[in-house]
Every structure is written in C-alpha cells, then in structure tokens.
Amino acid sequence: MKKVLTRYLGDKDNRTLLLNVAGNYLVKGGAMLVSLLMMPAYMRYFESQAVLGMWFTLIQLLNWIMLLDFGIGGGLRNKIVEPLQKGDKERVIELVSAAYFSVAGIVLVLIALQQIVVGRLNWYKILGLSSGDISEDTLVTMIHILVIGVCVRFFSVLVCHILYALQKAVLPGVISLLSSALIMLYLVCSKPTGSESDIITLAYINTLANNVPALIATVWIFATILRGMWPRFRAFTWNATQEVLGTGGALFFLQIIIMVLFNVKELYISWFVGAEAVVDYQVYYKLIGMIGGLFSLALNPVWSAVTKALVEKKKQWIRDLYRKGMGLIALFGGAQLVLVAVMPMVVKLWLGENAIEVSRVAGLLFCLYNLVYMWMMLNYNFACGMGRTKVISIWLTVAGAGNLLLTMWGCSVYRSWITVVVATAVAAIPCAFFVQKDIFGVIKSMNSEKEGK
C-alpha cells in the first residue's frame, strides 16, 4: 500500500490533482455548513413559502443567463493552458484580452436588453405565483436588480476559469464560499420588517455578494501570478476572439443543454406542481443532493487536468483517472443510503419547527437521480477536457427534450416534486450510457499510443 501511494504521489500531476481535490473538499465543508444554515435563515426571512419557492426558482433561472457568454469562459480555460505551460506571456495577454473585452461587450448588451425585456414578461406565470403573493412592481424591480447582478458576474467570474487553467481549482471554491457566506451573514443578522422592501434589499445583497469577491480575486491574480499579463485593448484581436469562441462555442452549447437537463427542476416544479413545492425539493436537495455536489467538487480540477494531460500526451494517466472516477461514484452511492436512513432525524434537528415530513421513498428516488447525475458529470468533464463534444451534445439534446415530455406526463399522473426528479434521472440514463461508450472508445484507442513521460 505504501509503495502504491508513494508511486502515485511521485507523479507531479497526481500530486497537483490530489491537492486540488483535498482543498476543494475543505472549502466544500465550509460551503455545506453555510448552505445548511441558509435554509432555516431563508425560512425565517420569508413569511410566505410560495415567495421563498419563487426566490429559489428565480435564482436558478437567472443562473441560466450565465451561459450567455457563448462559452468564452470555457474557451479561455482550454486555450490558455498551453501558453501558460510554455510561458508565452504575449499569447496569454492576447487570449485574456479577447475574453475580457468580448464578455464586457456582451454584458453591456444584456444589461440594455433586460431593461426592455424584463418588464414585458408575465413573471407571475413563469414563477407560479399570484398577484396576492407579491406586488408586480416589487417583483419586476427585484428581477431587474438580480439580472444586472448576474450580467456583471459574466465579467467577474472569468477569473475562475483562469484559476482552473492554472491548476488552482481550490480558489474558485473559496470565492463562491465567500459569496454565500456574505448572503448568509445578512440573513442571520438582518431583522425582516415583513414588508416587500425586504426582498429588494436581499436582491441588492445577492448582487454585491456574488460579484465583489470575484472582482477582488481578478485584481489579485493580475497583480501577482499573471503580473504584466492583464487585458489591454491594444492586444485585442478578432483572431484570438474567434479562437476562444471556436473552442467555447461547442462548450457553450453543452452548457446550455446540460442546464436544460439538470437545472430546470425548480422551474418545472413551479409550473407543474406549484411554487411552494420547491421548498420541499430544496430540503432534499440540500441534504441528499450534497452527495452529488461533493462528487462534482472532486471533478472541478479534472477538466483542466485532462486538457493538460492531453497537451503532455499522458494518455495512460487519463485512462486511470476515469477509472478512479467510476470508483468514487460507487463510494458516494453507498454514502447516500446512510444519509437517507438518518434523514428524518437530521431534518428535525436542522429545521426545528419548520421541519417537513420526510419520505424515505422520495429519498431513495433522489439517490437514484444522484447516481445518474454523478455518472453524467464524470462523462461531461472528461468529454470537455478531451474535446469530445459531438456525441455528448446529441444525447444531451435528446435527454433534455425527453425530460420535459416525461415531466409533463408524469406530473399528470402523480403531481409531486419527486416526479420531476425521477423524470430527469430516467431521461439522462441513455445519454450517460452512450457518452461513456464514446469515452471508452477514445480511451481504448489510447492503448496503442505512446504514453507521455
């Protein structure tokens, strides 16, 4: 065992990956604590469960806007790895300039568009609310604030893609943790007045908390690690922009369809079940869903690590890493069952008088969803890191459409939030199978190729 461990840690890439994963889990421990504290804090802050369900749905819906950078962040993340490895500063400047100025243009356009579009949409219908839950003026004002905040995040979170490319995958987690901690601090320390101004204030806090830590990190990264390589307009070129977009375009489409598959549950629950049911779903998601979140966290360094290994021709290392990922899915799958067994007790301790009635059947069905989600996310990170986007794009599109149809039919038979979760899992299974088959084909073809040293 000692020899195996020594041999594993003797590889620099293995050590870097292990440190990133360990660091991510340390940060995630803090994030999990914050997330658990935020749920009862939200319940205290919002008097109406329907309005709280609306808030969760809206935050998830607005996260979709983060995809409208056309994959520039993902394209930068993939393209910048090689010049960073070679120490080509001019190339790094060219790429970061292309990314930052392109995103800045997109942000300005989106902020202008939201001023026109937001007020014209029927948000009561979209979010499953009635006019008695919240006034239209408050609802529209809140959405304006949140949309502008999300648009600014396009620019602020570009630094996270750079940090991933630098193999500093822990730091994006720290930035996210700080943002969540700032929101939680406000929720815990504030004294809600019971008026609609409370939700406007929370929207401002959300916007600031999600941008300030990332903007500070941006200043830090270009003042230290990438000193002298900050974006500059004279270095902006359309060729570099097209390169970033060319790589990012396929990733952009992937991001959209994987969001359509896995990140619309709150919206579907609001539409087909009711906004108040989103709160019940969030309780299960915060507990059982954190298992899938922990697994996804382990994958954070994998995308860039696989890209780096491809540049260095370390194909055997990629194959072994995939096998370890499959082993982790089995380990996390077992941990889910333990959590389901103790979940009723945990929920009572966690939420106190606001505790919901826990169904172990619903918990086990959520475990099934989690297994499929982990399987899919492993394939997604490898496919992106290896540039294998065609097969996963096709099957994710099929799964996204199937998810909507299954949800509509399922909720007509059994109107519950768990129906939406099960429909997502069932729709994703064929996708996970065929994407894995494609990755296995690539890994098998690597056997005959010379391994990198």
Side-chain angles (χ1 to χ4, degrees), residues 182-397:
L182 288 171
I183 297 171
M184 185 201 71
L185 186 64
Y186 169 75
L187 289 171
V188 171
C189 297
S190 66
K191 294 181 179 180
T193 63
S195 68
E196 292 189 346
S197 63
D198 290 338
I199 201 167
I200 299 297
T201 304
L202 182 58
Y204 279 118
I205 294 296
N206 186 279
T207 294
L208 290 172
N210 280 318
N211 285 290
V212 172
L215 290 172
I216 292 172
T218 301
V219 174
W220 172 78
I221 198 76
F222 286 112
T224 55
I225 300 173
L226 297 184
R227 187 179 181 86
M229 289 180 269
W230 57 83
R232 55 206 74 182
F233 192 72
R234 64 176 176 78
F236 177 84
T237 65
W238 285 111
N239 285 338
T241 303
Q242 288 171 352
E243 283 186 70
V244 172
L245 282 170
T247 302
L251 298 176
F252 168 61
F253 181 68
L254 273 180
Q255 288 173 321
I256 288 179
I257 53 182
I258 204 163
M259 283 281 284
V260 168
L261 178 59
F262 289 114
N263 291 67
V264 295
K265 290 187 290 298
E266 289 91 344
L267 192 60
Y268 284 176
I269 292 169
S270 293
W271 286 354
F272 302 118
V273 184
E276 64 280 355
V278 175
V279 179
D280 286 355
Y281 161 76
Q282 280 287 320
V283 171
Y284 284 80
Y285 174 75
K286 295 287 186 185
L287 291 176
I288 304 175
M290 75 178 177
I291 301 292
L294 285 169
F295 179 78
S296 295
L297 188 70
L299 297 176
N300 279 349
V302 167
W303 178 338
S304 294
V306 169
T307 303
K308 180 175 178 289
L310 281 176
V311 171
E312 297 174 350
K313 312 295 184 185
K314 299 182 70 173
K315 313 237 171 105
Q316 179 66 40
W317 186 87
I318 296 173
R319 184 176 61 183
D320 291 342
L321 183 63
Y322 189 91
R323 288 173 176 170
K324 291 181 177 71
M326 293 299 293
L328 265 182
I329 290 177
L331 181 65
F332 279 84
Q336 291 184 130
L337 299 177
V338 176
L339 185 56
V340 169
V342 299
M343 190 173 171
M345 179 183 65
V346 171
V347 170
K348 287 180 182 178
L349 291 173
W350 173 34
L351 298 178
E353 61 182 19
N354 293 316
I356 66 169
E357 185 177 346
V358 174
S359 164
R360 283 195 172 90
V361 173
L364 290 172
L365 290 173
F366 208 111
C367 287
L368 171 65
Y369 161 79
N370 254 356
L371 285 173
V372 177
Y373 172 76
M374 290 187 284
W375 185 17
M376 193 64 247
M377 292 311 294
L378 177 68
N379 293 337
Y380 172 77
N381 279 273
F382 268 81
C384 290
M386 299 166 71
R388 301 289 298 185
T389 58
K390 184 177 179 180
V391 171
I392 192 172
S393 295
I394 293 170
W395 282 102
L396 275 174
T397 303

Side-chain angles (χ1 to χ4, degrees), residues 115-132:
Q115 286 295 123
I116 301 170
V117 173
V118 168
R120 297 175 183 271
L121 297 177
N122 185 343
W123 290 102
Y124 288 119
K125 186 174 182 179
I126 293 171
L127 299 172
L129 289 173
S130 68
S131 57

Side-chain angles (χ1 to χ4, degrees), residues 53-67:
M54 173 276 296
W55 176 266
F56 288 139
T57 302
L58 185 60
I59 293 298
Q60 190 63 53
L61 184 62
L62 291 178
N63 282 338
W64 282 35
I65 300 178
M66 290 298 295
L67 299 177

Side-chain angles (χ1 to χ4, degrees), residues 76 79-81 83 90-100 235 240 243-244:
L76 175 65
K79 281 291 182 180
I80 205 174
V81 170
E90 292 301 317
R91 177 64 171 160
V92 171
I93 292 170
E94 185 180 41
L95 290 171
V96 297
S97 298
Y100 271 92
E243 283 186 70
V244 172

